[in-house]
Amino acid sequence: MSLRSRWFSRTEDRLDAWVTQQHQKRVLEGKTTPVGPCPDESFLHSLARHSKHIDLSDPRVDHAANCPICMKRLLTLRPQYLARRRRLVLAAAAVCCCLIVATFVVLSRRGLETPHQAANMAVIPQTVDLWNAGTLRNGQPSPLQSVALPASLVKVTIILPRYSEPGQYAVAVTRDQTGSDLLAQSIATATGNGDREEISIDLDLRNSKPGAYFLSTTHGQDQASYYYPLQIK
């Protein structure tokens, strides 16, 4: 829109407002003649709030526009509806501001939690030396003292007991020696390191509560499971 057309638009708006004021003045002074009876209160309320359901060809509109009694009522109702609308707009703006602030707080907290989560996702290297370990096989007691692992995502290098066979091993962390209540499990192939066999596996122990567990190794060929006392800290 050009500056000239905007100027004309403002001029027309001022002219319309002036004509409306002059008409209201004439109505309130009783210089107009209304046609028909006064409409009911509900109709005046709808007319005051500029309801879209009002048909301008309705004769009640013409009456209200020329009746000093109806005009006085409209001039009283109209500011009330405008004030109510402003309150609704302010309330909606306040709700939007609260939502923006709440969103900012949530995102800020997530940002603060991100380093902690990243630390929790970090893989912690651990070594479990079973070279001289006794075992718990078929419920037999073992002289091995408990080995310990953190309640984290760990990359465990297990030095298998003396005379262990090469091949594939399944490693598990369980609550008891029966293999039930499995907390974590992984499969890897043993690799020779001098006269020792080692396996390297990843175990996710982040959801484990601190306490006593068992670490088991099962060779892929003989399917014999050996259990070692384990402490998760």
Side-chain angles (χ1 to χ4, degrees), residues 159-231:
I159 302 174
L160 295 172
R162 194 187 309 269
Y163 310 122
S164 293
E165 296 291 332
Q168 193 175 68
Y169 284 81
V171 179
V173 176
T174 58
R175 178 68 66 177
D176 55 34
Q177 298 169 227
T178 65
S180 60
D181 197 2
L182 181 68
L183 276 73
Q185 186 176 28
S186 186
I187 298 175
T189 301
T191 57
N193 184 9
D195 58 347
R196 299 183 177 186
E197 295 291 333
E198 297 180 357
I199 52 176
S200 182
I201 56 168
D202 293 324
L203 292 176
D204 189 353
L205 303 177
R206 289 173 294 180
N207 295 326
S208 304
K209 296 181 180 180
Y213 298 88
F214 287 91
L215 176 71
S216 69
T217 61
T218 305
H219 192 271
Q221 292 182 354
D222 59 19
Q223 294 296 311
S225 296
Y226 295 86
Y227 291 85
Y228 305 92
L230 170 67
Q231 287 289 328

Side-chain angles (χ1 to χ4, degrees), residues 84-100:
R84 184 181 301 175
R85 184 178 300 175
R86 282 194 293 268
R87 288 196 296 269
L88 291 175
V89 171
L90 291 175
V95 171
C96 290
C97 290
C98 291
L99 290 175
I100 292 173

Side-chain angles (χ1 to χ4, degrees), residues 130 133-134 142-148 228-230:
L130 303 178
S142 169
L144 176 68
Q145 294 183 353
S146 295
V147 295
Y228 305 92
L230 170 67

Side-chain angles (χ1 to χ4, degrees), residues 35 37 39-40 43 47 53-66:
V35 179
D40 57 23
F43 181 84
L47 191 59
H53 298 291
I54 297 297
D55 186 356
L56 295 180
S57 63
D58 191 324
R60 293 177 295 177
V61 176
D62 181 70
H63 174 93
N66 292 281

Side-chain angles (χ1 to χ4, degrees), residues 90-148:
L90 291 175
V95 171
C96 290
C97 290
C98 291
L99 290 175
I100 292 173
V101 171
T103 302
F104 177 77
V105 170
V106 171
L107 292 177
S108 299
R109 288 181 177 178
R110 287 183 179 179
L112 293 175
E113 291 173 358
T114 299
H116 174 72
Q117 293 174 350
N120 194 34
M121 288 295 293
V123 179
I124 300 176
Q126 295 285 306
T127 299
V128 174
D129 189 355
L130 303 178
W131 178 252
N132 294 314
T135 62
L136 288 174
R137 186 173 184 179
N138 297 327
Q140 295 301 317
S142 169
L144 176 68
Q145 294 183 353
S146 295
V147 295

